[in-house]
Amino acid sequence: MEGSFTNFDQLPEDIIMEIFSRLPVKSLLKLKSVCKYWYILIQTPTFITKHFCHKTNHAIPFIHLYFLDKKQLSLSTNEYPLFQDLYIHKSTSLKPVIGPLNGLFFVYNLDMNEMAIWNPATKEIKNIIIPSPSFYPYFRSYAHHFGFGIDPLSKDYKVVWIRDYWKEETFTRSKSAVVSVYTLSTDSWKHFEDNTFWSSHIVMSYFGTYLDGFYYWKMINSEQQHTQCINGRQNCEILAFDLTNEVFQVIQTPNLFNSNFGTLGLYDGFVSMFFHFLVQGKTCIEIWVMEKLGFWTKRLVIESHFIVKRPIGYGVNGEIFLETTTSNLAMIDPTTQEIIKCTGPWENGYPLQVLVYKNSLVSIKKLSSGDLGKI
C-alpha cells in the first residue's frame, strides 16, 4: 500500500491533476487530508478551474420547491436533496435563490434578517451582516430586489440590493431607490441612492439574469410610471447594473413588449424575454433575445395544448421548464419543440425555479480573504 502511494505521488503533476479532475467534490475534499502536497494542489485556482470545466463534471438541473404545509424552501434533484437541511428556513414569502455562479449561490430570508453566499458542494456558507444605510432612519424598507454577479475586472463576487423606503406615519415615500452593494473579498457594503427609478417598478424574475459583468432586471418604463399608453399597455425597460463601475444603465425594448407580461431571463447565452399567451384555446410561446444592446430578435415560437402558468427555468441543453395551471412541471424540448409533462402535481407544494448546477471547489473562505483565483 505504501509503495503504491509512493508511485502515484511520483507521477507528473499534470497527470495527477487530470486524474483528480475526474473525481467528485466529495472525494476531493477527503483527499485534501491525505498529504500536504495534495492539499495544496486541490486548492490551487488552476486545479479548481480545471475540475469545474472538466467534461466529467456534468451540469444537472434541479428543482427549487416551496412546501405549503411547512412554509419551507428546498432544492432537490432526482438523486439527492441539494439543500440537505443546510439552509432551509421557514418563511412567510416565496424567494428565489440567485445563481449559480461557478457553483455559488446567493440566498436570503429577510423574514429572519439573513443573507449568505453558499457552496452546496463543499457546504461552505458565508453569512453576510446586514447593515442599514443612514439615509432614512425613520423609514421602513420595502420592495426588495437582489442581484448576484462577478466583477470581471477584479474577479470579485458582489451582491446588489435595491429597495425603497416608506414612512407609514406620514405616508411619505423616499425620493430615490436605495442601492447597497456587498463585496465578498472585503466583506463590506457600499450604499448610495439613485433617483432615476424606484425599486417597486422592478418586476421580479425567478430566472438568473447575470451575464458578462452585468445583472439585469425587467422594469416598468420610467416615463410611464403613473400613466398608460393609449392602448392601455405599459412598455417595459431593462435595468442593467455594471458590477465593475457600479452604475445603472437603462435599455429600451420594442414597443410590443408589455410590462404586464413577459419574464426576463437568459436563453442561449443572451438576455431574453419569455412570453406566453392564449390563442384560440392554445398556448403560444415566444422567446425574444437581445443579440446586441437594445436590439431584440424573436428566437423561438411554439404552440401547445398545455396551459402555462409561468416559466420557471432553462435546462442544460436549452430545455424550457414550465409550471402549468394544474401545478405540473412540463418541459419544452428545443429540438422537437414538443412539450412533455415531467412531474407533479405536488400535494403540499410547487416548484419555484429550475436551475442548472455544477459541483464546484470554489472556496468562499478564500474568496472572502481576497484570494480571488481564476474562476
Side-chain angles (χ1 to χ4, degrees), residues 142-309:
Y142 74 107
H144 303 267
H145 292 278
F146 291 93
F148 177 49
I150 302 171
D151 177 346
L153 188 62
S154 67
K155 309 300 181 186
D156 215 334
Y157 290 74
K158 295 182 178 181
V159 174
V160 189
W161 184 12
I162 309 172
R163 52 195 151 156
D164 294 337
Y165 277 79
W166 177 266
K167 192 172 184 180
E168 293 180 332
E169 293 84 354
T170 59
F171 298 99
T172 306
R173 183 177 187 169
S174 58
K175 297 179 181 179
S176 309
V178 174
V179 182
S180 301
V181 180
Y182 172 81
T183 302
L184 178 59
S185 66
T186 59
D187 192 25
S188 63
W189 288 91
K190 180 189 297 183
H191 308 284
F192 60 93
E193 293 182 271
D194 193 305
N195 61 8
T196 60
F197 65 91
W198 276 324
S199 177
S200 53
H201 290 121
I202 295 174
V203 181
M204 186 175 182
S205 173
Y206 287 92
F207 285 71
T209 51
Y210 166 79
L211 182 66
D212 298 335
F214 287 81
Y215 198 90
Y216 297 88
W217 299 268
K218 177 185 169 184
M219 184 175 68
I220 297 172
N221 191 312
S222 58
E223 295 180 357
Q224 302 171 9
Q225 289 174 355
H226 303 292
T227 61
Q228 288 189 328
C229 300
I230 295 175
N231 59 5
R233 294 155 53 101
Q234 286 184 299
N235 185 236
C236 67
E237 299 171 324
I238 305 300
L239 181 67
F241 184 74
D242 181 340
L243 286 138
T244 298
N245 300 304
E246 297 184 355
V247 295
F248 287 95
Q249 177 181 1
V250 175
I251 303 168
Q252 301 301 319
T253 64
N255 290 332
L256 57 87
F257 282 18
N258 188 340
S259 64
N260 296 320
F261 300 98
T263 300
L264 187 70
L266 300 178
Y267 183 75
D268 197 24
F270 297 101
V271 175
S272 70
M273 288 288 289
F274 181 106
F275 297 96
H276 66 279
F277 43 88
L278 286 175
V279 178
Q280 296 181 346
K282 289 186 177 181
T283 298
C284 181
I285 294 169
E286 294 182 357
I287 295 179
W288 292 67
V289 299
M290 186 173 66
E291 295 182 345
K292 294 190 299 182
L293 190 65
F295 292 89
W296 296 78
T297 303
K298 190 186 297 185
R299 177 62 62 89
L300 192 65
V301 179
I302 297 173
E303 287 188 355
S304 170
H305 64 277
F306 278 102
I307 307 300
V308 176
K309 182 178 180 181

Side-chain angles (χ1 to χ4, degrees), residues 353-365:
Q353 299 169 277
V354 173
L355 301 168
V356 174
Y357 173 76
K358 289 178 69 174
N359 284 288
S360 170
L361 285 162
V362 172
S363 170
I364 301 174
K365 182 178 180 180

